[in-house]
Every structure is written in C-alpha cells, then in structure tokens.
Amino acid sequence: MDYLEILKTIGLVIFGGLALYIEYNKKVQEKIAEITGKAVAFIKEAEELYKDTTKAGGTKKTWVVNKLYELVPKPLNMIITRNMIDQIVESTFEEIEKYAKQQLDKQVDKLK
C-alpha cells in the first residue's frame, strides 16, 4: 500500500511538472509571436529615425533588436535570447526585402 501511494505521488509530480512545462512553453511561443509581429513595425520606425543617416544598417538593426528585447520579460531572457531576436529581425528584413523586390519586378513588367 505504501508503494501505491509513492507511485501516485510520483505520478502527480510528473503530471504537474508536465503541465507547468506546457504552460511555460505556451507563454514563450506567444512572446516569440508578439516579437515577430512587432519586428516589422520597429524596422519601419528605425528606417524613419535613421533616414538622414548614411551607412546606418547596423545601427538600425541594433536599435530594432534592443527595442524587441525590451519586450521580453526577465524570466524568459534565458530562452528568448538577444541572438534569437537578432535572427528574427534578420529573417523579417529579408522577407520584406524579397517582397519589395517582387513588387518592383511586377511594376517593371507592367512598363514593358
């Protein structure tokens, strides 16, 4: 009978840990989605802030990464790192650039 109680307790602890993990993982995923969504807005804002500055690509990117990193709650800093945000900004910028090129190509094709 004591073994059964011990097994129940272990099962409950494991189940509780799993529930906490799932909830924490959900919060991390939500925060990453929020950061990704705001990346475009911050990239646009950086373009406006540094529009009169030449060769400011690195400065703009650093500004965007810092602004997005400020959105990360302290407990999530170990999981959502500055490097991860840097990669989000880089991939977002590449997608914006790819889209802009496609639109420009469409306009050029219309002129032909």
Side-chain angles (χ1 to χ4, degrees), residues 31 34-40 42-43 61-73 80 82 85-86 88-89 92:
K31 187 50 74 173
E34 176 188 349
I35 288 168
T36 303
K38 290 189 178 189
V40 174
F42 283 135
I43 289 171
K61 184 177 178 184
T62 300
W63 184 86
V64 172
V65 170
N66 288 339
K67 292 298 277 184
L68 291 170
Y69 195 67
E70 290 173 7
L71 299 175
V72 179
I80 304 174
R82 192 175 296 275
I85 292 175
D86 187 83
I88 290 170
V89 170
T92 302

Side-chain angles (χ1 to χ4, degrees), residues 19 24 30 47 54 67 74-75 83 87 89 101 106 108 111:
Y24 190 69
E30 288 171 353
E47 291 292 334
T54 57
K67 292 298 277 184
K74 297 289 183 212
N83 186 45
Q87 291 172 358
V89 170
K101 185 179 179 331
K106 285 180 184 178
V108 168
L111 294 175

Side-chain angles (χ1 to χ4, degrees), residues 13-69:
V13 168
I14 290 172
F15 183 73
L18 182 61
L20 286 173
Y21 170 77
I22 291 170
E23 183 63 29
Y24 190 69
N25 190 37
K26 181 180 170 187
K27 288 181 182 178
V28 169
Q29 293 301 319
E30 288 171 353
K31 187 50 74 173
I32 289 172
E34 176 188 349
I35 288 168
T36 303
K38 290 189 178 189
V40 174
F42 283 135
I43 289 171
K44 182 180 176 192
E45 191 174 340
E47 291 292 334
E48 283 296 315
L49 285 171
Y50 295 98
K51 67 182 175 189
D52 296 330
T53 308
T54 57
K55 307 272 184 190
T59 304
K60 289 186 279 190
K61 184 177 178 184
T62 300
W63 184 86
V64 172
V65 170
N66 288 339
K67 292 298 277 184
L68 291 170
Y69 195 67

